[in-house]
Amino acid sequence: MMTVHEVSKLAGVSIRTLQYYDKIGLLHPTGYTDAGYRLYDDADLERLQHILLFRVLEFPLKDIREIINSPDFDRSKALEQQIEMLTLKKEHLDNLIKFAIGIKMLGVKYMDFSAFDRSKLDEYARQAKEQFGNTQEYKEYAEKSKNRTDQEERLIADRFMLLFKEAGEMKDMNPASPQAQDLVKRIQDFITENAYTCSKQILSGLGKMYSSGGDFTKNIDEAGGEGTSEFVDKAIQIYCG
């Protein structure tokens, strides 16, 4: 049996949080000491592990309580699902990091993208370098960009946006058409040439980000006209199979 203080230290969860979990029926202690302190056994700690994994996956506490308290709750199956969801989350974060490096490579700070907070982009890139500087993609990007001048960065950015301008001219076409598919191949080759090897998996993730409705979508549509980002995404997904 462990006291609430020991569990708090072990799990990195505040005592107040554990008290709240008890209050809302999410994690009740097995017993109490003579002094009234909560006591937790191994089953409680296993339940806490599931709770914390669901929290990492951003499940609301209400939903976690309903899942864990369900008579059909299968701990083994839940763990398998959590592993799968965490893997997908990791892949998503990896794609975001590669996307951020791509933005850095494309010279966003030299372009008039007022919707972007440039200081945040630079900070994101710095953190990506610290956390993922040993990845093959970052090493490849760093090697290709290390000797570039500011003018060269601007030229690369301009060349890349010309591809989206070209996409805008064909956005009323079938995204599966040879012309659209050729354009996607050129986008992939451009990224590979100027940043890192752009696999179909990476390209698919980038396509989804292009049309996700954020600031990048706005700027792609400004380059090629409204609907360009959606057209490019559709063409990319067809290309990637």
Side-chain angles (χ1 to χ4, degrees):
M1 300 283 280
M2 298 182 66
T3 67
V4 67
H5 295 275
E6 291 171 332
V7 173
S8 173
K9 184 176 181 180
L10 176 67
V13 178
S14 70
I15 293 176
R16 179 173 295 181
T17 295
L18 292 171
Q19 292 171 339
Y20 182 67
Y21 287 175
D22 183 10
K23 180 180 179 181
I24 65 174
L26 186 59
L27 178 65
H28 295 306
T30 294
Y32 295 86
T33 66
D34 293 338
Y37 292 106
R38 292 170 173 82
L39 291 173
Y40 299 85
D41 62 12
D42 289 345
D44 296 329
L45 294 179
E46 183 179 351
R47 184 181 175 95
L48 178 59
Q49 287 176 335
H50 282 294
I51 293 170
L52 296 180
L53 284 172
F54 278 126
R55 290 299 287 156
V56 169
L57 292 166
E58 301 179 8
F59 278 57
L61 290 177
K62 179 181 178 182
D63 292 348
I64 298 174
R65 182 178 60 196
E66 291 179 358
I67 292 171
I68 292 182
N69 288 340
S70 170
D72 298 327
F73 180 66
D74 185 325
R75 294 178 184 272
S76 178
K77 184 177 179 180
L79 185 58
E80 291 177 2
Q81 292 173 335
Q82 288 166 335
I83 291 172
E84 182 178 353
M85 287 186 286
L86 288 168
T87 300
L88 291 173
K89 185 179 180 73
K90 177 181 179 297
E91 291 176 357
H92 175 64
L93 290 174
D94 284 344
N95 284 334
L96 285 176
I97 290 162
K98 291 168 186 173
F99 176 60
I101 293 174
I103 292 176
K104 186 74 172 179
M105 178 277 297
L106 292 173
V108 173
K109 65 180 181 179
Y110 303 113
M111 303 174 71
D112 187 19
F113 286 0
S114 57
F116 283 98
D117 183 336
R118 296 171 182 174
S119 63
K120 289 184 179 180
L121 279 175
D122 290 339
E123 177 64 15
Y124 193 177
R126 183 189 67 78
Q127 293 178 5
K129 180 178 180 180
E130 288 181 354
Q131 297 179 38
F132 297 89
N134 291 324
T135 63
Q136 182 60 40
E137 289 83 5
Y138 190 87
K139 289 178 180 178
E140 190 176 352
Y141 160 70
E143 179 63 26
K144 290 179 178 179
S145 63
K146 65 180 181 181
N147 294 321
R148 287 179 188 153
T149 65
D150 290 353
Q151 182 179 6
E152 288 171 335
E153 292 282 5
R154 286 194 292 271
L155 288 173
I156 289 172
D158 291 342
R159 284 171 51 209
F160 191 64
M161 294 311 293
L162 283 175
L163 292 173
F164 291 110
K165 182 178 180 181
E166 185 177 346
E169 295 172 356
M170 62 176 71
K171 65 187 178 187
D172 293 328
M173 299 173 57
N174 186 334
S177 67
Q179 297 94 323
Q181 292 300 291
D182 176 71
L183 177 63
V184 171
K185 180 63 166 59
R186 284 187 282 134
I187 290 174
Q188 182 185 36
D189 289 345
F190 185 93
I191 296 172
T192 296
E193 177 185 355
N194 295 284
Y196 48 76
T197 302
C198 184
S199 66
K200 285 189 175 182
Q201 181 181 4
I202 292 175
L203 184 63
S204 176
L206 292 174
K208 293 174 183 177
M209 293 176 195
Y210 290 161
S211 64
S212 64
D215 292 324
F216 211 63
T217 296
K218 175 183 176 183
N219 288 297
I220 288 176
D221 285 351
E222 285 181 356
E226 185 176 355
T228 300
S229 58
E230 183 178 352
F231 171 78
V232 171
D233 181 24
K234 289 179 179 179
I236 285 176
Q237 302 313 321
I238 293 171
Y239 176 84
C240 294

